[in-house]
């Protein structure tokens, strides 16, 4: 007597979870991409806002939080220095300068290098350059940087020069501020 072979049952695929159906997954991705596009369009990824966001996320890492706070403070202060420089240029009848992100990034890098080496030195960036070191300043305002440049005849000449663009980069090391302003055409 022969035994019959047992039939082999074919496993049926389980239905995917509700969130993985093609239609719902597509709508989810469309919504996610739309939200990302809106965030970018309204400027939520500006350096200052990103620094504040990273600070919120880095509460567990105090070193990261302190570093991010320094960057945000220096970035806002650099924009205030830029605005004050344009006010002064306007008083002297000079055309207003436009902010240049490329020059600002070079200025930040140069300020950081000066702080690391503890040496106040000019770089080779741009057409003109102003540098400054403010020692013993825990709290500073834009007027502290601009006053230092206006008190020096060569720096004042650059500040009121025939330039079209500029970038300001500041870096804080302890209670010392390092500043660089690079001009361009």
């Amino acid at each position: 007597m022969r035994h019959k072979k047992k039939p082999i049952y074919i496993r049926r695929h389980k239905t995917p979870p509700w969130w993985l159906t093609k239609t719902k997954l597509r709508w989810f991705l469309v919504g996610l991409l739309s939200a990302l596009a809106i965030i970018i369009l309204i400027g939520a990824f500006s350096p200052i806002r990103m620094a504040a966001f990273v600070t919120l996320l880095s509460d567990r890492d105090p070193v990261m939080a302190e570093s991010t706070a320094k960057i945000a403070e220096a970035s806002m202060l650099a924009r205030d220095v830029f605005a004050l420089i344009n006010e002064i240029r306007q008083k002297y009848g000079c055309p207003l300068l436009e902010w240049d992100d490329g020059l600002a990034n070079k200025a930040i890098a140069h300020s950081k290098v000066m702080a690391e080496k503890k040496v106040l030195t000019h770089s080779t960036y741009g057409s003109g350059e102003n540098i400054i070191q403010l020692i013993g300043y825990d709290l500073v305002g834009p007027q502290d940087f601009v006053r230092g440049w206006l008190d020096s005849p060569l720096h004042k000449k650059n500040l009121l020069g025939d330039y079209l663009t500029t970038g300001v980069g500041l870096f804080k090391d302890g209670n010392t501020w390092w500043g660089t302003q690079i001009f361009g055409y």
Side-chain angles (χ1 to χ4, degrees), residues 140-159:
V140 296
Q143 68 280 358
D144 297 315
F145 294 95
V146 176
R147 187 182 317 116
W149 288 328
L150 287 174
D151 290 344
S152 162
L154 291 175
H155 290 105
K156 183 176 182 178
K157 181 180 175 186
N158 278 341
L159 201 70

Side-chain angles (χ1 to χ4, degrees), residues 149-181:
W149 288 328
L150 287 174
D151 290 344
S152 162
L154 291 175
H155 290 105
K156 183 176 182 178
K157 181 180 175 186
N158 278 341
L159 201 70
L160 302 174
D162 194 21
Y163 299 108
L164 302 175
T165 61
T166 192
V168 178
L170 308 174
F171 187 80
K172 184 178 181 184
D173 182 29
N175 66 345
T176 302
W177 281 89
W178 301 82
T180 305
Q181 180 185 18

Side-chain angles (χ1 to χ4, degrees), residues 12-61:
R12 287 190 307 147
H13 295 288
K14 291 182 179 180
T15 58
W18 66 269
W19 50 268
L20 199 55
T21 61
K22 286 182 182 178
T23 305
K24 290 181 181 171
L25 185 60
R26 278 189 207 132
W27 281 111
F28 173 75
L29 291 175
V30 166
L32 184 65
L33 292 174
S34 299
L36 185 60
I38 290 169
I39 289 170
I40 290 172
L41 288 174
I42 62 171
F45 286 130
S46 71
I48 294 167
R49 288 187 183 143
M50 281 304 293
F53 179 69
V54 172
T55 301
L56 290 174
L57 295 179
S58 63
D59 285 339
R60 294 184 185 150
D61 185 358

Side-chain angles (χ1 to χ4, degrees), residues 38-171:
I38 290 169
I39 289 170
I40 290 172
L41 288 174
I42 62 171
F45 286 130
S46 71
I48 294 167
R49 288 187 183 143
M50 281 304 293
F53 179 69
V54 172
T55 301
L56 290 174
L57 295 179
S58 63
D59 285 339
R60 294 184 185 150
D61 185 358
V63 173
M64 175 72 167
E66 183 181 347
S67 174
T68 306
K70 281 184 182 179
I71 292 169
E73 180 184 11
S75 177
M76 289 186 290
L77 188 56
R79 288 293 187 149
D80 292 343
V81 169
F82 168 72
L84 185 56
I85 287 168
N86 269 339
E87 285 178 26
I88 290 169
R89 286 178 62 89
Q90 194 171 23
K91 287 180 187 175
Y92 281 88
C94 301
L96 299 181
L97 296 170
E98 288 186 31
W99 182 264
D100 185 315
D101 285 327
L103 293 178
N105 290 335
K106 290 176 183 176
I108 292 167
H110 184 65
S111 294
K112 188 173 181 180
V113 166
M114 288 191 303
E116 289 169 354
K117 294 182 178 180
K118 307 279 190 239
V119 175
L120 191 64
T121 179
H122 285 279
S123 72
T124 57
Y125 300 124
S127 304
E129 177 186 64
N130 287 341
I131 57 173
I132 193 167
Q133 177 188 25
L134 300 175
I135 301 172
Y137 285 78
D138 199 30
L139 296 172
V140 296
Q143 68 280 358
D144 297 315
F145 294 95
V146 176
R147 187 182 317 116
W149 288 328
L150 287 174
D151 290 344
S152 162
L154 291 175
H155 290 105
K156 183 176 182 178
K157 181 180 175 186
N158 278 341
L159 201 70
L160 302 174
D162 194 21
Y163 299 108
L164 302 175
T165 61
T166 192
V168 178
L170 308 174
F171 187 80

